[in-house]
Amino acid sequence: MASINELSLAKGLTQIVELASQGLEAGEAPILEQVSDVTAELLKWWFQQEFQDARAFNFHPGQRHALLNVIYAHEVLGVSTLQDLYLAVAPDVLLASTRDSEAIEASKNAYPKYCLKMATGTGKTWVLQALMIWQILNANRAPDSPRFAKNFLVVAPGLIVYDRLLDAFMGKEREGKRDFSISDLSVFQELFIPDAYRDEVFRFVQGAVCPKEDIGRKVTAGGIIAISNWHLLSEESEPLDDAELETPGDAVDPKVVVQSVLPLTPGTNQGNDLNVLNRRYERGGILTYLKDLPGLVVFNDEAHHIHEFKREGEVSEVEWQKSLNIIAEPKGSRFVQVDFSATPYNEVGSGKNSRKSYFPHIVVDFDLKTAMRSGLVKSLVLDKRSEIGALSHEELDFKADRDENGNPTLSEGQRIMLRAGLTKLSKLETDFGGLDPDKHPKMLVVCEDTTVTPLVAEFMKGEGLADEEVLTVDSNRKGELKAEEWKQLRERLFDVDRHKAPRVIVSVLMLREGFDVNNICVIVPLRASSAGILLEQTIGRGLRLMWRGNEYDDIKRDNRQSIKAGQTPANMIDILSIVEHPAFQSFYDELIQEGLAAEADDEDDENTSSTGDLISVGLRPGFEALDFAIPFILREQVEELEDTNIEPSSLEAFGAFSLGQLKSQIGQGEKFHSEDVQARTRFGDYRVHGGVMTATGYNDYLARITRRITESVTLTGTTGSSKDFANASKFPYIQINRAELAEGIDTYVRQHLFRQELDPLVDENWRVLLIDPVTEHIIKVWARAILEAEDNVVVADAEVAHRRLSEVSKLAMREGSSLAVNKAIYMRLPYPSRNGGLEQAFMETCERDASVDAFCKINEQKHTFARLRYIKDDGLPAFYSPDFFVRSGGAIYLVETKAQGQMTTPNVLRKRKAAVAWCDRINVLAPEHRSGIEWHYVLLGETSFYGWRDRGGSIGELLAFARLRPVEDKGQAKFAF
């Protein structure tokens, strides 16, 4: 039966959104026609496949799910209350239960309200920031729309999450100052913001962010991003509404009269401590300020703190939620609340009768189990120690004991659990250190109360740990530290991943949320509470991935498959070990039954390496003779293009629509206000910075498109940051004469773009150039033409530097998917465990072929300097690394091995062209700059390789025969064997 607890709202909304989002990867989804133009641009930028392929990082399916559901509910459905949303996507819930219906229709839900249920470690903060960008850009273009706002309040439950949010928006604090360049928005700008909007977003955010002490004091222009922890909103104060206004004729309370005349009653026990009074006064001012804002979007991070159930059906709201209700009251639908929580529920009942009561406004359900199945968080293994197994749970006490004076002491059960955790930690440290000395696993001990934490710290020291190896994070009963204590602790706490010490972190409540480090690998839960919400929050501290990179994907996938089959995984790569606590057994049993957790015991630990067959392979003795020195032509060189003239008549004309069809689409006259052009014109799959679509005349358009083409082809990276564009003119990759380029584009537009004469200034013909496909076509053909001219570079007096493959001294690989070799700088070389047969066969052949002097498999994650720049078929810049370097017969070959069916795909052909051009540039260098050797590129299909090998031909002969050479034929580059 449909109900709140069945998460019917999330299920119904998701079903609708999935239909509306079909085809989004190709840029053709129905949702793109249902949202504003700028929202459509954002959705394309975030989720269109060609943009995702050009980035090193993207939103995962859970984040995509969250963003699309909120945007669809708010912008497409246009709901004003929670009840509106239920009526649109889950109306059965309102009919099925009176209690559910009353909860949904409550006054506190009389505005747009969305809760995102996302597992710990799955990037809730990224979703928060993306939603904020969506609101800002739309509010700038539709300031009167009640759907969008530029005022934001971001509320954190405590100091840890508060500091994490400041880091995300302002950058980490260094020497008392925050550096915006290392904020999330800046570091991941390639994901969050299309090029054309980055300056707009950065200006707003840098001017609008207010820490809690500046809220209501800092003057911001056009909006505010207020970041606060819940304490600022939770202290008791005089009400800000009209509930207690005087009514004429009422009897006057004598106490009120006395208090209005007499001074404050002395003594802090009356609540008249000056610090308390000052905080209350400031809080009142902040609430008044926030209440008076015309519109506000509130983001509640870790929103499970909002409610506290006293008994089933009766909810007592905590003070800071009451404050939000006060702030929301005058705003109506211009107040929006977005809650984030991994555990958006309350425990109802107790003992065996306890159950979860979910928040009614959950619109996304990306839970822990889904995250585990997707490999987005660590897998879970329960350590069942034989020492624990030797005694029944009834015989062994897992709570602290008390001595004759009532002082707490660690029980025998707690000592056994701590020793078990230390044993696991020591094994992980040894095994991980052998694979990667920069990986430092940590153990987290969650104590039952603050009286136990010093006992655990002393116990650890008694087990041989030094003072600096144990970090105790004590807190009060609310899980908070004093500001000064936290200031001294936070730098060390959030930097634990990079250092060997501390090895063990001991805490009670302080670290149950927001403690987002990657290297927690062992958790010892000494707390005896069986509350599911506390357990999930505790486990959440260790869920973030520690091992990232393609070389670990296979081994982690195998781990998940082993766990699903009910087997202990063969290694501990991104495995979280929980030292079993009997109070949590039902939770574990549920995960085990669903194939999401496995059990381990002492025998497994003794016989199994923590790293499985993952090994670290170093350089062999005498590697120098087998090394490859890659020449790099420095930017300070003198470079000239032999022929920079691009003939406009040789460029491809626009063929999708005729000029007449385009003009009929856009109309004439008063329809062409610049505001309409900006709002309704968008660039589909090419980056446009500064907005060609904001051009107010043909000359302006010509200047803007010339600048964008010039900058895009002179960038040496793919980030497209504002800094990159600023440096492009100072340190260009190639020199381009902008005046000559503008003249060429003008000629192309007037004579060749539509295969007929076009006067841009007659009848406002130039406006057809603003249509997305037309502008996209112009950019694409001219960018390609310029980059192809790079093939004709003449280098004089070049200054050349070299990078050697041996700079990467170690590689991680699976022993079972690697080959012992003698002709490479490394003792072994890896190949893909899936579909890696061709690469394995090629290496085996090179190893036993006397014509090969040396070879090496390129690791694109480590050998980042051994990669080539090319332009994809869609006109976007990208990098790629060849599979192998091979030295044979006085030449070095860049070898790309490909399945036969992939030999002629468009991007493979473009990679091929870029590689041949690079080799050609290197080969014109003086011999001393290229080790007296020529470089060549070989695209080797499996049919050619196996056929040549099976006929007894040598690798040296094959590569010399198959190398690609540029051949000029009527201006078009071709290739010949």
Side-chain angles (χ1 to χ4, degrees):
M1 183 174 64
S3 69
I4 290 174
N5 262 7
E6 293 296 323
L7 303 185
S8 299
L9 182 64
K11 293 174 182 176
L13 180 59
T14 298
Q15 187 175 6
I16 295 173
V17 172
E18 284 179 350
L19 289 174
S21 303
Q22 287 182 357
L24 184 55
E25 287 72 14
E28 300 175 349
I31 192 174
L32 298 175
E33 303 301 324
Q34 299 170 309
V35 296
S36 71
D37 287 346
V38 71
T39 301
E41 286 188 66
L42 285 173
L43 295 181
K44 286 184 177 182
W45 182 260
W46 292 339
F47 305 122
Q48 198 165 324
Q49 193 62 51
E50 56 195 85
F51 293 126
Q52 294 191 54
D53 290 344
R55 292 190 291 256
F57 38 80
N58 285 290
F59 293 118
H60 62 66
Q63 294 168 320
R64 179 184 188 274
H65 185 188
L67 289 168
L68 289 175
N69 278 22
V70 172
I71 289 172
Y72 190 90
H74 195 69
E75 190 170 341
V76 179
L77 297 180
V79 298
S80 297
T81 67
L82 182 59
Q83 184 182 8
D84 289 346
L85 187 52
Y86 270 92
L87 288 171
V89 302
D92 292 350
V93 177
L94 298 171
L95 302 175
S97 167
T98 302
R99 178 177 293 169
D100 282 355
S101 179
E102 290 175 350
I104 292 166
E105 296 170 8
S107 60
K108 64 183 178 182
N109 296 324
Y111 49 80
K113 195 171 182 180
Y114 315 106
C115 178
L116 308 185
K117 181 175 179 284
M118 298 181 66
T120 299
T122 56
K124 296 190 292 290
T125 306
W126 275 21
V127 175
L128 187 158
Q129 291 170 301
L131 289 174
M132 185 177 291
I133 291 166
W134 160 64
Q135 282 282 314
I136 292 168
L137 293 178
N138 275 286
N140 282 342
R141 285 148 186 80
D144 296 329
S145 171
R147 297 286 99 198
F148 308 109
K150 290 196 295 182
N151 299 315
F152 305 93
L153 174 63
V154 186
V155 185
L159 289 173
I160 291 182
V161 181
Y162 173 72
D163 269 339
R164 186 194 67 187
L165 290 169
L166 289 179
D167 291 346
F169 283 98
M170 303 175 69
K172 291 186 181 296
E173 190 171 11
R174 292 176 175 173
E175 298 180 357
K177 295 183 179 179
R178 292 191 175 272
D179 182 0
F180 182 76
S181 68
I182 56 175
S183 67
D184 280 5
L185 282 178
S186 179
V187 172
F188 300 108
Q189 59 183 276
E190 179 73 9
L191 169 62
F192 286 127
I193 320 167
D195 292 349
Y197 303 119
R198 287 181 191 164
D199 286 347
E200 176 184 343
V201 172
F202 287 166
R203 282 196 302 270
F204 176 82
V205 172
Q206 287 180 280
V209 172
C210 281
K212 58 184 180 181
E213 60 271 14
D214 292 338
I215 300 174
R217 299 176 178 177
K218 179 179 178 180
V219 177
T220 59
I224 184 173
I225 303 174
I227 302 177
S228 173
N229 58 347
W230 65 270
H231 299 77
L232 194 67
L233 304 175
S234 66
E235 295 179 35
E236 297 286 352
S237 70
E238 294 299 321
L240 298 179
D241 54 19
D242 299 328
E244 295 186 15
L245 291 178
E246 263 190 68
T247 304
D250 276 359
V252 179
D253 186 346
K255 183 178 179 182
V256 174
V257 175
V258 173
Q259 288 180 341
S260 68
V261 176
L262 298 179
L264 294 173
T265 305
T268 59
N269 63 338
Q270 299 296 318
N272 295 332
D273 177 87
L274 291 180
N275 291 326
V276 173
L277 293 172
N278 186 57
R279 286 198 302 271
R280 290 180 178 174
Y281 173 78
E282 290 181 347
R283 173 180 176 271
I286 291 171
L287 288 183
T288 301
Y289 169 78
L290 295 173
K291 183 181 178 183
D292 290 343
L293 290 174
L296 184 67
V297 178
V298 174
F299 293 109
N300 289 319
D301 202 355
E302 308 295 350
H304 44 267
H305 292 266
I306 291 178
H307 305 300
E308 179 185 349
F309 268 72
K310 297 300 183 182
R311 60 181 181 270
E312 186 170 355
E314 294 186 15
V315 182
S316 173
E317 293 175 329
V318 294
E319 283 301 314
W320 69 288
Q321 179 60 35
K322 292 180 181 178
S323 298
L324 291 183
N325 295 342
I326 293 171
I327 294 169
E329 190 273 328
K331 296 179 177 60
S333 62
R334 284 186 172 269
F335 181 89
V336 181
Q337 184 171 326
V338 184
D339 297 337
F340 296 83
S341 177
T343 52
Y345 58 83
N346 296 283
E347 294 283 351
V348 178
S350 60
K352 295 181 179 180
N353 296 322
S354 67
R355 66 175 180 85
K356 298 175 181 177
S357 180
Y358 283 99
F359 297 174
H361 57 299
I362 296 173
V363 296
V364 170
D365 181 18
F366 192 73
D367 62 3
L368 176 60
K369 297 173 183 177
T370 305
M372 285 181 169
R373 292 189 186 100
S374 305
L376 297 174
V377 295
K378 290 189 180 87
S379 299
L380 197 61
V381 166
L382 311 178
D383 274 27
K384 288 193 168 184
R385 296 287 159 177
S386 58
E387 297 98 315
I388 296 177
L391 295 173
S392 68
H393 294 159
E394 290 76 15
E395 296 177 80
L396 199 55
D397 190 0
F398 290 87
K399 296 182 180 179
D401 290 333
R402 300 280 171 176
D403 61 19
E404 61 275 10
N405 297 319
N407 298 317
T409 62
L410 292 181
S411 67
E412 184 60 26
Q414 290 178 324
R415 293 171 185 269
I416 289 177
M417 292 178 70
L418 292 171
R419 289 194 181 101
L422 282 177
T423 301
K424 171 69 76 173
L425 178 65
S426 297
K427 181 172 178 55
L428 293 178
E429 288 173 332
T430 300
D431 292 345
F432 286 0
L435 182 62
D436 186 342
D438 293 327
K439 296 293 186 184
H440 307 296
K442 310 294 178 184
M443 183 170 92
L444 175 65
V445 182
V446 183
C447 299
E448 58 187 274
D449 59 49
T450 54
T451 64
V452 177
T453 52
L455 302 179
V456 173
E458 286 301 317
F459 176 80
M460 291 295 171
K461 295 171 186 176
E463 293 293 307
L465 275 68
D467 288 349
E468 66 273 11
E469 292 180 317
V470 182
L471 177 62
T472 301
V473 186
D474 247 331
S475 58
N476 61 25
R477 292 185 177 182
K478 293 182 179 180
E480 288 298 323
L481 283 177
K482 293 180 180 179
E484 283 303 313
E485 294 174 349
W486 172 241
K487 188 175 181 180
Q488 297 173 9
L489 176 66
R490 65 183 177 185
E491 185 174 344
R492 186 182 178 201
L493 186 61
F494 282 97
D495 215 23
V496 294
D497 284 346
R498 297 197 303 116
H499 303 286
K500 289 184 178 180
R503 298 170 60 201
V504 178
I505 301 164
V506 186
S507 178
V508 182
L509 292 174
M510 185 70 182
L511 302 183
R512 65 177 170 172
E513 56 204 0
F515 179 46
D516 297 331
V517 297
N518 302 320
N519 290 12
I520 300 294
C521 296
V522 182
I523 294 181
V524 180
L526 296 184
R527 292 185 63 94
S529 170
S530 58
I533 189 169
L534 178 60
L535 176 59
E536 192 164 338
Q537 291 167 13
T538 300
I539 291 176
R541 305 289 58 84
L543 287 176
R544 294 182 181 272
L545 295 176
M546 179 179 183
W547 300 86
R548 301 174 187 268
N550 294 342
E551 62 264 44
Y552 307 114
D553 287 348
D554 286 342
I555 200 167
K556 290 193 284 187
R557 188 183 300 110
D558 290 346
N559 283 346
R560 294 196 298 274
Q561 291 174 349
S562 295
I563 291 173
K564 186 176 181 180
Q567 302 169 354
T568 302
N571 63 83
M572 298 302 295
I573 298 298
D574 272 336
I575 296 287
L576 175 61
S577 294
I578 308 293
V579 178
E580 184 200 20
H581 192 299
F584 305 143
Q585 190 59 48
S586 61
F587 179 87
Y588 299 144
D589 288 342
E590 182 181 343
L591 292 177
I592 292 171
Q593 289 170 7
E594 297 193 31
L596 296 175
E599 295 182 349
D601 54 33
D602 280 339
E603 292 182 3
D604 291 328
D605 288 345
E606 292 170 2
N607 299 325
T608 303
S609 168
S610 302
T611 56
D613 72 340
L614 195 63
I615 57 176
S616 179
V617 178
L619 298 169
R620 70 180 340 104
F623 69 87
E624 293 85 358
L626 302 169
D627 207 357
F628 290 84
I630 307 169
F632 284 83
I633 304 172
L634 301 181
R635 295 177 184 173
E636 288 77 9
Q637 67 185 353
V638 177
E639 296 183 348
E640 296 179 356
L641 297 178
E642 285 184 336
D643 182 11
T644 59
N645 292 322
I646 299 172
E647 177 53 51
S649 61
S650 68
L651 302 181
E652 180 184 355
F654 181 77
F657 300 96
S658 69
L659 178 60
Q661 289 172 323
L662 293 173
K663 291 186 67 176
S664 67
Q665 287 181 14
I666 63 173
Q668 293 183 350
E670 69 278 7
K671 293 183 181 178
F672 297 104
H673 298 299
S674 60
E675 181 181 350
D676 291 337
V677 171
Q678 180 174 1
R680 299 186 181 185
T681 304
R682 58 182 182 273
F683 290 83
D685 61 357
Y686 202 89
R687 311 179 196 181
V688 180
H689 182 75
V692 173
M693 63 281 211
T694 60
T696 56
Y698 177 63
N699 290 339
D700 188 20
Y701 172 88
L702 200 60
R704 288 173 180 266
I705 200 167
T706 300
R707 177 173 175 266
R708 282 307 296 152
I709 293 173
T710 302
E711 289 176 338
S712 67
V713 298
T714 57
L715 287 177
T716 58
T718 58
T719 60
S721 66
S722 56
K723 185 181 294 185
D724 288 335
F725 286 116
N727 289 335
S729 59
K730 298 179 183 178
F731 309 105
Y733 184 72
I734 54 176
Q735 296 274 357
I736 297 175
N737 187 321
R738 288 194 181 185
E740 183 179 315
L741 177 60
E743 181 182 358
I745 295 173
D746 180 49
T747 302
Y748 175 68
V749 167
R750 291 175 180 270
Q751 300 178 15
H752 307 291
L753 177 61
F754 297 107
R755 298 190 182 92
Q756 67 182 75
E757 294 286 338
L758 170 71
D759 189 338
L761 304 180
V762 173
D763 295 331
E764 294 185 313
N765 284 335
W766 71 275
R767 293 186 182 274
V768 302
L769 305 177
L770 295 174
I771 296 176
D772 175 30
V774 178
T775 302
E776 174 189 348
H777 178 81
I778 295 172
I779 292 173
K780 186 174 181 179
V781 298
W782 277 93
R784 252 186 216 167
I786 293 170
L787 287 160
E788 286 170 357
E790 186 183 352
D791 296 348
N792 300 322
V793 169
V794 174
V795 183
D797 300 323
E799 182 180 351
V800 179
H802 294 83
R803 299 287 302 273
R804 298 180 180 272
L805 295 184
S806 59
E807 292 177 25
V808 179
S809 60
K810 288 186 178 182
L811 292 178
M813 63 189 73
R814 300 189 68 174
E815 188 172 15
S817 301
S818 64
L819 189 69
V821 292
N822 294 309
K823 293 184 179 180
I825 59 175
Y826 304 107
M827 302 291 287
R828 304 182 70 91
L829 291 177
Y831 55 85
S833 60
R834 299 168 185 264
N835 304 317
L838 177 58
E839 293 186 19
Q840 180 184 5
F842 182 78
M843 290 193 294
E844 290 172 341
T845 306
C846 287
E847 182 66 17
R848 61 174 180 261
D849 193 322
S851 67
V852 174
D853 300 319
F855 71 100
C856 191
K857 176 78 171 69
I858 304 304
N859 185 313
E860 61 183 13
Q861 302 292 325
K862 302 296 183 181
H863 299 120
T864 53
F865 49 86
R867 60 184 187 179
L868 302 175
R869 176 178 177 268
Y870 79 105
I871 301 298
K872 295 167 56 182
D873 187 54
D874 56 19
L876 292 173
F879 288 105
Y880 101 99
S881 299
D883 291 328
F884 298 96
F885 283 2
V886 180
R887 186 161 62 240
S888 174
I892 293 178
Y893 298 93
L894 281 60
V895 181
E896 181 80 8
T897 55
K898 283 290 180 189
Q900 209 63 35
Q902 299 177 351
M903 292 285 287
T904 57
T905 60
N907 280 330
V908 167
L909 296 178
R910 300 197 69 79
K911 292 176 184 178
R912 182 176 77 172
K913 188 170 185 178
V916 172
W918 183 85
C919 290
D920 200 42
R921 290 184 67 200
I922 297 301
N923 289 335
V924 299
L925 295 174
E928 61 270 19
H929 291 319
R930 48 185 172 85
S931 304
I933 215 166
E934 289 198 345
W935 291 67
H936 303 293
Y937 179 73
V938 175
L939 180 59
L940 188 60
E942 58 181 339
T943 301
S944 300
F945 167 72
Y946 286 121
W948 194 280
R949 184 199 66 175
D950 294 343
R951 290 194 298 269
S954 71
I955 290 293
E957 293 170 336
L958 172 61
L959 298 181
F961 174 77
R963 70 183 179 90
L964 297 170
R965 309 169 181 85
V967 175
E968 293 300 319
D969 181 17
K970 296 182 181 180
Q972 300 296 317
K974 295 185 178 180
F975 302 95
F977 289 154

